[in-house]
Amino acid sequence: MVIGRFPESIVVIGAGMAGLVCTLELMKQGYNVRLFEATNRPGGRVYTMRDQFADGMYCEMGAAFIGAHHFLTLSYAQQAGVQLINLPVPNRRLTYINGRLIIDSPAEPARWPVSLTAEERNLGYAGILEKYLNPGLKATGNPFLPDWPTKQAIQLDSMTMEEYLKGQGASPGAIKLSEIGYMQMLGDGIRKVSALQRLLDLKMASSEGSAQTIAGGMDQLPKKLALTIGSNISYGCAATHIEHNNKGVTIQFTKSGEVFTIYCDRVIMAIPSTVLRTIHFSPPLTKEKNDAIQNQLSTSVTRTVVQSRTKFWKNLSSFTTVNTDLKIGWLYDATFTQTTSRRGLICSYSSGEAAREIARAGNLNAAVSEIKQVLPELSYNYEGAAVFSWDHNPYSRGAYAWYRPKQMIRMIPTLSAQQDSIYFAGDDTSLFPGWIEGAISSALRTVNQIIAGNSI
C-alpha cells in the first residue's frame, strides 16, 4: 500500500480531548494541522475551576478521574508527564435517603429505610447490585468485537434501565437504592435511559484496580497536550459557517466580533452535537446525519461547590462521598488531594431535571440548604458557594450524550461517519460519552479515517 498525497491542510474545530488528540496524531503523521477553539482554554469538558475559591483550592467541573482500565487515557497521561494519584477506597458507604444518613459497611450492614424482599435484605446493598447488574453487564458483550452488537445488546437497547431491573426481579425498594448516586447520573435517570448505555457506562466506571486523578487538577492533561501542539492552536475562534465541495472546505469564524475565513482540504468537527446544531453547513449535511445531530440528547449536569472553613467531615466515617435522594445528587470531598489549606470544598453533582432546577436563577441557596441538611456541621463552617451548569455553557450546551431506548445502536454509526471532507470526533460519537477514554478513542478512529482516505 502506498500513501498518497497528504492534504494541504486539515482544520480541527474544538480543543477538547478529542480535538487535541486528533491534532497531535495528525501532526505526527506529517499533516499540516490547525486547531481552533472557541473558548480561551484547551480541554473542553475537562474543566478545573480555580478562580472561585480561597487558598488556591480547585474543583473539577467535568472529568474527575481515570479508571484503571482506561488504557488510552493512561497512555496520553504518561506521554504528557502528568502525575497520577490513586483515589481513596472508603471502607464505609454513606447514603442520605428518606431524611436519614445511613452508614453501610461489610462489618455493619445498613438497615435500609425502603421496602426490600427478604433475599434483598440478606444480600445487602453490594449484593443487590451484584445480583441485578451482573447479568446485564455480561449481556452487553464486547463492543470492540466485529460481531457487536449482539442480539442481547440489541435487546438491552430496546428497554429502559428501570425495565431491565424489573425484568431481573428487583423490588421497588431495590430499584430506589440502585438509582441513588451514580446510576442516576446519565440523562434523565434510569426510567428514561437505554439499559444498554447505562450498563456500558457502568463497565467504563467500574475498575478492578484503583481509579486515579491528576495531581494539581485534571486540566493539567489538556494543558500539557496543548503545549506540545504550540502555535498551531488558536483560541477565541468560534466556527459559524462551513462550505464544502470536492475541492475542499471553507470555514467562517468569529473572533472578538471580527469575521475571518479559513480554507482547508478537510475539517474535523470535534465538538458536541448540541453545538454542531448552531453551525450552518452548505450544502447541508445528509438528512440521516442531520437528524442524528438534532436528536442526540445531552445530560444536564450542575455542580454546586461549597467552601468550608475546615474539613470537618474528616471525622465523619471516612467520608469521601455521600449518595443522596435529594436534588443535590452526589456529594464528595473535592479537596481530598489538596493538603495545603485547612479549608475544604464539598461538591454536589446533580443531573437531569434536578440539575436543571438548581441551575435556574436564584436556586443556589436551596442547593446549599440541602447540602447542610446532609452535613449539618457545614452551617458553622460555610464560607460561600459557586454553581456551574453545563447546560448554560454556550460551547457545550449539556454535559454528555445520552440515549433513549432504540437510539444508541442506531445513531452512533451515523454520528461517527464522515461526510465528504467533513469528519466527526468527540466522546458523543463514541460508545462511551462523558469519558476521556471515549473522546480519545473517537479521535483515533477519526485519524484512521483520514489516513485510510489518503491511501491508494
Side-chain angles (χ1 to χ4, degrees):
M1 180 174 68
V2 179
I3 302 298
R5 180 183 69 87
F6 283 169
E8 293 176 9
S9 61
I10 296 176
V11 164
V12 180
I13 297 176
M17 285 300 299
L20 290 166
V21 171
C22 281
T23 304
L24 282 168
E25 294 304 324
L26 289 169
M27 287 172 64
K28 288 178 187 176
Q29 294 293 323
Y31 288 88
N32 176 17
V33 192
R34 290 286 304 278
L35 173 57
F36 291 89
E37 165 59 35
T39 71
N40 61 1
R41 63 173 182 83
R45 284 162 290 166
V46 181
Y47 171 41
T48 307
M49 183 181 281
R50 298 180 176 279
D51 55 357
Q52 301 284 332
F53 314 113
D55 302 341
M57 295 186 298
Y58 57 85
C59 183
E60 305 299 346
M61 295 295 107
F65 72 93
I66 303 169
H69 61 290
H70 296 190
F71 302 115
L72 294 175
T73 311
L74 291 169
S75 173
Y76 281 91
Q78 183 179 25
Q79 291 177 44
V82 297
Q83 180 188 349
L84 298 175
I85 303 173
N86 287 341
L87 295 179
V89 180
N91 54 16
R92 296 182 179 186
R93 179 181 292 104
L94 301 181
T95 303
Y96 189 87
I97 181 172
N98 293 348
R100 293 172 53 192
L101 185 64
I102 305 294
I103 300 174
D104 182 43
S105 71
E108 300 177 55
R111 294 182 61 83
W112 297 101
V114 295
S115 179
L116 299 172
T117 67
E119 181 190 14
E120 289 167 347
R121 288 205 175 276
N122 238 2
L123 287 169
Y125 181 81
I128 288 172
L129 294 185
E130 183 177 352
K131 173 181 173 61
Y132 296 133
L133 294 181
N134 277 3
L137 293 171
K138 291 176 183 174
T140 59
N142 184 344
F144 301 106
L145 294 179
D147 64 344
W148 198 90
T150 61
K151 288 182 180 178
Q152 286 178 304
I154 293 169
Q155 185 178 9
L156 288 170
D157 194 37
S158 70
M159 66 182 77
T160 67
M161 188 62 188
E162 182 186 43
E163 288 168 343
Y164 163 78
L165 289 170
K166 286 180 176 177
Q168 293 296 309
S171 70
I175 291 174
K176 179 176 175 63
L177 276 186
S178 69
E179 71 178 316
I180 293 175
Y182 186 78
M183 282 273 281
Q184 196 67 4
M185 293 179 192
L186 191 57
D188 280 354
I190 65 171
R191 289 164 181 78
K192 295 186 178 180
V193 72
S194 155
L196 177 66
Q197 186 190 5
R198 178 66 278 176
L199 290 161
L200 284 174
D201 184 77
L202 285 169
K203 275 187 171 180
M204 183 57 62
S206 65
S207 183
E208 293 180 1
S210 293
Q212 297 175 298
T213 191
I214 296 175
M218 291 291 290
D219 63 352
Q220 299 306 299
L221 176 56
K223 282 180 178 178
K224 293 205 171 184
L225 295 180
L227 283 175
T228 304
I229 295 169
S231 61
N232 286 19
I233 303 181
S234 297
Y235 294 102
C237 303
T240 57
H241 294 74
I242 293 178
E243 294 183 15
H244 56 106
N245 54 43
N246 56 8
K247 293 182 179 179
V249 184
T250 302
I251 310 166
Q252 191 175 98
F253 293 90
T254 60
K255 181 172 184 177
S256 303
E258 300 291 325
V259 177
F260 68 95
T261 301
I262 292 287
Y263 305 94
C264 61
D265 291 288
R266 301 171 193 252
V267 61
I268 298 173
M269 310 302 297
I271 56 179
S273 293
T274 45
V275 183
L276 274 172
R277 295 169 197 161
T278 68
I279 296 175
H280 176 75
F281 290 88
S282 179
L285 300 174
T286 65
K287 183 180 185 305
E288 185 181 22
K289 170 75 83 171
N290 187 61
D291 285 350
I293 290 170
Q294 295 296 328
N295 292 315
Q296 190 180 46
L297 301 165
S298 188
T299 303
S300 298
V301 171
T302 300
R303 307 253 192 167
T304 305
V305 189
V306 294
Q307 181 174 301
S308 172
R309 184 170 49 83
T310 67
K311 294 186 177 80
F312 64 86
W313 54 87
K314 290 297 182 184
N315 300 320
L316 182 62
S317 304
S318 304
F319 163 76
T320 53
T321 67
V322 182
N323 292 331
T324 85
D325 60 359
L326 305 174
K327 290 184 178 66
I328 52 173
W330 181 46
L331 292 181
Y332 63 94
D333 175 6
T335 44
F336 72 92
T337 64
Q338 303 172 52
T339 57
T340 57
S341 174
R342 63 192 294 271
R343 291 182 166 94
L345 302 175
I346 298 172
C347 184
S348 151
Y349 187 129
S350 303
S351 59
E353 178 54 37
R356 293 189 285 274
E357 185 169 335
I358 291 174
R360 292 182 191 120
N363 283 357
L364 173 60
N365 290 338
V368 171
S369 294
E370 285 197 348
I371 298 172
K372 289 178 180 178
Q373 182 180 329
V374 178
L375 301 170
E377 283 190 64
L378 178 61
S379 297
Y380 310 104
N381 286 273
Y382 178 75
E383 292 187 323
V387 65
F388 182 86
S389 164
W390 283 108
D391 280 5
H392 293 175
N393 183 304
Y395 300 112
S396 65
R397 299 170 183 252
Y400 40 83
W402 71 280
Y403 299 94
R404 297 180 187 275
K406 298 184 179 179
Q407 286 188 328
M408 188 177 196
I409 288 174
R410 174 174 56 85
M411 291 174 67
I412 287 180
T414 302
L415 290 163
S416 59
Q418 74 183 82
Q419 180 175 331
D420 302 324
S421 299
I422 307 174
Y423 298 77
F424 298 85
D427 64 285
D428 62 341
T429 68
S430 79
L431 286 168
F432 307 107
W435 295 97
I436 296 176
E437 192 79 356
I440 295 176
S441 66
S442 79
L444 298 179
R445 182 253 308 149
T446 303
V447 169
N448 287 334
Q449 286 173 332
I450 288 175
I451 292 173
N454 274 307
S455 300
I456 57 175

